[in-house]
Amino acid sequence: MTNLTRLEAAARSALIDVTGYRVELDLARGDTTFESVSTVRFGCAEAGASTFLDVKPKQLHRVTLNGTEIDLTGFGGERVTLTPLARENEVVVCATMSYSNDGQGLHRAVDSADGKHYVYGHSFLDAAPRVYGCFDQPDLKAPYDVSVTSPPDWVVLGNGAATQSGEGHWVLATTKPLSTYFFTVCAGPYVSVTAVHDGIPLGLHARASLRGPLERQAEQMLTITAQSFDYYHSLFGIRYPFGEYHQVFVPEFNAGAMENPGCVTLRDQYVFRGAMTHDEVLTRASTISHEMAHMWFGDLVTMKWWDDLWLNESFAEYMSHRTLSEATEFTDAWVDSSMSRKPWGYAAERMPSTHPVAGSPAPDAQSALQNFDGISYAKGAATLRQLIAYIGDAAFLSGVGEYLRRHAYGNAELADFLGAMERASGKDLQGWADAWLRTAGLDAISVETSPDQGTIRSATIRRTSPAAYPASRPHSIDVAGFSGGTEVFRVLTTVDRDETALPELVGRPNARMLIPNATDLTWATIKLDPATLAAAPSELPALPQTEARAVVWTALIDGVALAEIDPRHLLTVLATSWAGESNQSIINRVGLLMTQRIIPAFIPAGEQDGAHAVIATSAATMLAGAEPGSSRALVGARYVATSSADLDLLRRWAAGEGLPEGLQGDSDFRWVVLGNLARRGAVGEAGLDSALDQDRTMAGNLKWLQTRASAPRAEAKAWAWEQLTGERGRSNYELNALAAGFWQAMDQDVLRPYVARYFSDVPAMAGRVGEDALARVAALAYPASMVEAATADRSAAALRRQDLTASVRRAIVDADSQLREALASRAAYGWGLVDAQR
Ligand SMILES: [Zn+2]
């Protein structure tokens, strides 16, 4: 597989200048292929020179350059050499293309609810040539004219406003200059809700079988969209530039969403078909607002090369949380960021694959894809908050406005962004950027006090940089003390050396909990002092500040991962503090981290039922105390269903008896219950098949695959593994479901033979499954629950191989690092005699 290098891209953009694309797609030629004709007009700085065009067809019929047909006998399947070039050129590429089922290129899915077909285009990161012939790199922007032929009953949407010019024929309005990776066309019998806000036509679209939920939830989503437009217009001083704004909820989407100008694609699980919780609606709102921020940052101004992708993502991540908390009902959005995003980034920083926010080498397009992680999003956003604390919000916004105006419809790089910030603030930011943006790693921050008869005699903040990534990062943070539910003190300070005295605390009364970074403004591992740790079970439930509670939870979870806190202590805190927690992002994220990571990895198999019982008991308390039918009751019910060992209760719920209010007929909830029963071997294939009969939908099919794969029986394992790794033509989502279920079985003996098979069979899927999809499959299919030295040994051996693709290698590096954290913790806390150093 060819992979565009940075040097090739730079040479090509120095030579040519693309002035326009015309793309004609014929989607009415059957289920497996479509016809693509693209006409590209471009100038060339040097007559007689040559360049190449990217196209990845099933069959390439004809390429003409300035009217002369090019000889395609040496075409290797990806690049067409164009020579000799004139000063003004037109190339026409006619090809038959394959629909994909891995979420890249033009993905085609069949809705099992009604047999209807849906298509969407996903050109990110380098998949545009799977749809049309192009010069596929972000800094060759051009306007697009697109027309689409489709089956007569389909709706067509794209970057430009679509009009139907005849039955099954659609013409899209000419776009502003776009990078190739923003190209999309969505086509199928989508159903729509439309509106207009501030002169901008808005559309929400989803599969026909999701019509009811789409229509019920549209008002909430349109409100977030309108509030975000108003906020961004006032913040940036530049109106939304891409005409209509469509949000298309598409099936089997790999990421959360994609910021195609004018036509954002989002995963259609965001159209909730059953009961939904407050934090799920918040997450969807955050994604809506995130993609809208990209219309300016990313789409209007695009990074020159993929090594600055972080700038798009950090900015959108920061802006969405700011917008939600300042302009919408979700005033607690930053707490959600603390719980759902930062632990993801902190985990990424502990892995050997960690990298600087900016300037990570991306010598080619595929290596750039590997940096698209918790560092680019969560750390980048936290870093921008530190930048704002450093230069002030007014300077930040003025710099952003200047940056957007100066590079509108063009491309920029880190130096341009920093230059704008320096001009706006009058500060030299090179040292700041070196420490925060160009150096990987996170500091540990702790506060040491000497208490003396009820008051603090001395206090010091200690900042420890990782030895592997030394840097002097300045932190703007606050330190707060709480006792018995009352804030005793709070001081704001800047930590810019390894030891900073805190004279403001001297003479203050001792606090039972001392919390550094209490409003979670910085990016650091927070180490709680021993007295605060010991007081957590009794003090945390009463802590009045939500952000501070989120910081404590994250510190506890990170402490377990670092083998510095006994997982049993975390369970003790959970037993006292989780059921009474009022913030739903905290409740749900703590629950997810406990059930998906802490219990399976850090607690030995024989003790896991006891740990799940702590979750189930607390969740039952939460459910009993919540208003029936409320979001809180739903969360409680879900964690009872996930963790309870009460087979009678689970079987009754699975049969639809005695369900909590609001969950009658809720298929998603029934699958949660069945997932628990399946892991325990307490429901057979017939039971799962009959559940599928009641839920013949795309979601139902995936849940059926996942629960069937999780059964602890040898035949079930053999079937699931073959479905996962065999050449079955399974879609990206089906592979994810099989992989997610497989290792859930509560019987390690039945799983053990598949540890070795992971390392032979999953790497062999490369080539059949696109790298973007394979990255997820390889991570989900890793034997993370087999916390044994043998698993680590096999990982190490695999990483010595030279034939792993970038996505598979990265998945193994990261999963292996997490496995070693679990081994180290089990060794430190007397659970299993394993050599964590191997
Ligand atoms: Zn984004």
Side-chain angles (χ1 to χ4, degrees), residues 251-402:
E252 302 182 323
F253 195 72
N254 282 327
M258 175 65 207
E259 65 269 22
N260 314 301
C263 189
V264 169
T265 41
L266 303 97
R267 54 171 45 219
D268 64 11
Q269 294 95 323
Y270 278 139
V271 180
F272 301 108
R273 63 187 192 135
M276 57 195 135
T277 61
H278 173 83
D279 74 291
E280 286 170 337
V281 181
L282 189 161
T283 299
R284 177 175 72 191
S286 172
T287 303
I288 288 173
S289 196
H290 175 114
E291 303 311 322
M292 293 177 70
H294 275 314
M295 294 299 131
W296 287 264
F297 229 95
D299 295 5
L300 179 63
V301 180
T302 309
M303 79 271 139
K304 191 164 173 51
W305 178 246
W306 299 113
D307 56 354
D308 276 322
L309 189 61
W310 71 275
L311 195 52
N312 290 1
E313 295 311 336
S314 306
F315 188 85
E317 172 103 359
Y318 167 76
M319 274 299 159
S320 73
H321 288 97
R322 175 172 177 153
T323 305
L324 291 194
S325 62
E326 293 187 4
T328 76
E329 64 180 296
F330 297 107
T331 51
D332 52 355
W334 281 115
V335 177
D336 189 72
S337 158
S338 297
M339 291 310 301
S340 70
R341 309 296 280 181
K342 290 177 96 169
W344 173 42
Y346 290 155
E349 286 271 44
R350 295 194 298 267
M351 294 171 181
S353 56
T354 190
H355 55 88
V357 172
S360 236
D364 54 60
Q366 281 303 325
S367 62
L369 192 61
Q370 308 309 318
N371 288 337
F372 205 54
D373 58 14
I375 307 288
S376 300
Y377 288 83
K379 183 179 186 180
T383 301
L384 286 177
R385 290 185 91 186
Q386 284 296 314
L387 175 67
I388 292 164
Y390 194 67
I391 65 173
D393 195 46
F396 173 73
L397 291 177
S398 141
V400 166
E402 193 226 304

Side-chain angles (χ1 to χ4, degrees), residues 450-470:
S450 318
D452 179 25
Q453 299 185 352
T455 58
I456 294 172
R457 192 151 42 88
S458 70
T460 306
I461 296 192
R462 199 171 296 286
R463 179 193 69 178
T464 312
S465 297
Y469 307 105

Side-chain angles (χ1 to χ4, degrees), residues 274-606:
M276 57 195 135
T277 61
H278 173 83
D279 74 291
E280 286 170 337
V281 181
L282 189 161
T283 299
R284 177 175 72 191
S286 172
T287 303
I288 288 173
S289 196
H290 175 114
E291 303 311 322
M292 293 177 70
H294 275 314
M295 294 299 131
W296 287 264
F297 229 95
D299 295 5
L300 179 63
V301 180
T302 309
M303 79 271 139
K304 191 164 173 51
W305 178 246
W306 299 113
D307 56 354
D308 276 322
L309 189 61
W310 71 275
L311 195 52
N312 290 1
E313 295 311 336
S314 306
F315 188 85
E317 172 103 359
Y318 167 76
M319 274 299 159
S320 73
H321 288 97
R322 175 172 177 153
T323 305
L324 291 194
S325 62
E326 293 187 4
T328 76
E329 64 180 296
F330 297 107
T331 51
D332 52 355
W334 281 115
V335 177
D336 189 72
S337 158
S338 297
M339 291 310 301
S340 70
R341 309 296 280 181
K342 290 177 96 169
W344 173 42
Y346 290 155
E349 286 271 44
R350 295 194 298 267
M351 294 171 181
S353 56
T354 190
H355 55 88
V357 172
S360 236
D364 54 60
Q366 281 303 325
S367 62
L369 192 61
Q370 308 309 318
N371 288 337
F372 205 54
D373 58 14
I375 307 288
S376 300
Y377 288 83
K379 183 179 186 180
T383 301
L384 286 177
R385 290 185 91 186
Q386 284 296 314
L387 175 67
I388 292 164
Y390 194 67
I391 65 173
D393 195 46
F396 173 73
L397 291 177
S398 141
V400 166
E402 193 226 304
Y403 170 85
L404 292 174
R405 280 187 294 276
R406 183 181 288 215
H407 303 285
Y409 303 111
N411 298 77
E413 47 199 345
L414 173 60
D416 298 314
F417 179 75
L418 283 180
M421 292 298 144
E422 288 185 329
R423 283 189 294 279
S425 68
K427 279 190 177 172
D428 177 351
L429 293 174
Q430 295 310 312
W432 182 92
D434 283 345
W436 273 110
L437 296 176
R438 297 194 185 99
T439 309
L442 79 168
D443 298 332
I445 288 184
S446 59
V447 175
E448 288 162 21
T449 56
S450 318
D452 179 25
Q453 299 185 352
T455 58
I456 294 172
R457 192 151 42 88
S458 70
T460 306
I461 296 192
R462 199 171 296 286
R463 179 193 69 178
T464 312
S465 297
Y469 307 105
S472 181
R473 280 169 280 259
H475 297 263
S476 290
I477 67 167
D478 57 352
V479 176
F482 299 90
S483 290
T486 304
E487 181 176 305
V488 182
F489 53 76
R490 174 184 303 271
V491 297
L492 193 64
T493 187
T494 300
V495 177
D496 54 7
R497 58 194 57 144
D498 291 345
E499 275 190 33
T500 307
L502 267 182
E504 302 95 320
L505 287 192
V506 174
R508 304 284 191 118
N510 286 326
R512 279 181 227 141
M513 290 196 95
L514 186 62
I515 305 174
N517 195 33
T519 44
D520 202 14
L521 199 55
T522 200
W523 181 257
T525 301
I526 300 306
K527 309 247 180 188
L528 302 173
D529 64 85
T532 296
L533 267 182
S538 58
E539 291 285 320
L540 181 58
L543 210 61
Q545 190 202 328
T546 316
E547 278 290 3
R549 294 199 302 280
V551 168
V552 171
W553 280 113
T554 302
L556 290 167
I557 288 162
D558 280 353
V560 169
L562 290 163
E564 292 171 356
I565 293 175
D566 189 332
R568 280 165 282 213
H569 187 62
L570 177 55
L571 279 171
T572 305
V573 177
L574 191 116
T576 62
S577 311
W578 187 57
E581 173 58 51
S582 58
N583 181 277
Q584 297 212 356
S585 296
I586 296 180
I587 295 174
N588 199 25
R589 292 294 163 174
V590 168
L592 282 174
L593 286 164
M594 290 304 296
T595 53
Q596 295 184 358
R597 167 114 169 101
I598 301 290
I599 295 177
F602 291 87
I603 296 180

Side-chain angles (χ1 to χ4, degrees), residues 66-303:
N66 301 325
T68 306
E69 194 159 336
I70 288 180
D71 176 10
L72 297 172
T73 6
F75 177 63
E78 298 184 339
R79 288 182 177 183
V80 177
T81 302
L82 302 179
T83 193
L85 298 176
R87 296 303 291 258
E88 298 297 329
N89 301 274
E90 184 179 89
V91 61
V92 181
V93 184
C94 301
T96 298
M97 301 285 192
S98 296
Y99 289 112
S100 75
N101 70 348
D102 63 4
Q104 297 168 256
L106 217 53
H107 182 101
R108 187 170 180 129
V110 185
D111 187 340
S112 43
D114 52 17
K116 292 182 196 285
H117 288 234
Y118 294 89
V119 164
Y120 66 86
H122 187 66
S123 300
F124 181 85
L125 180 139
D126 59 356
R130 290 170 64 168
V131 185
Y132 64 105
C134 56
F135 297 107
D136 190 26
Q137 62 188 68
D139 64 342
L140 286 173
K141 289 187 171 183
Y144 282 73
D145 283 292
V146 177
S147 63
V148 178
T149 303
S150 75
D153 57 332
W154 282 18
V155 173
V156 171
L157 298 152
N159 304 99
T163 32
Q164 193 167 11
S165 56
E167 192 181 73
H169 194 75
W170 297 76
V171 176
L172 277 57
T174 306
T175 69
K176 298 281 199 228
L178 306 181
S179 300
T180 46
Y181 80 98
F182 293 135
F183 177 93
T184 191
V185 160
C186 298
Y190 286 99
V191 293
S192 308
V193 174
T194 59
V196 177
H197 175 72
D198 190 15
I200 303 167
L202 306 177
L204 300 173
H205 316 270
R207 283 182 279 132
S209 64
L210 291 171
R211 177 192 292 275
L214 178 74
E215 288 177 350
R216 285 193 294 279
Q217 294 162 40
E219 189 186 340
Q220 195 275 339
M221 293 191 270
L222 290 170
T223 300
I224 296 295
T225 306
Q227 288 168 329
S228 299
F229 268 131
D230 292 350
Y231 189 72
Y232 291 142
H233 284 153
S234 74
L235 219 53
F236 304 148
I238 301 171
R239 273 192 66 85
Y240 167 68
F242 297 110
E244 300 187 354
Y245 191 76
H246 294 278
Q247 298 174 80
V248 191
F249 295 89
V250 298
E252 302 182 323
F253 195 72
N254 282 327
M258 175 65 207
E259 65 269 22
N260 314 301
C263 189
V264 169
T265 41
L266 303 97
R267 54 171 45 219
D268 64 11
Q269 294 95 323
Y270 278 139
V271 180
F272 301 108
R273 63 187 192 135
M276 57 195 135
T277 61
H278 173 83
D279 74 291
E280 286 170 337
V281 181
L282 189 161
T283 299
R284 177 175 72 191
S286 172
T287 303
I288 288 173
S289 196
H290 175 114
E291 303 311 322
M292 293 177 70
H294 275 314
M295 294 299 131
W296 287 264
F297 229 95
D299 295 5
L300 179 63
V301 180
T302 309
M303 79 271 139

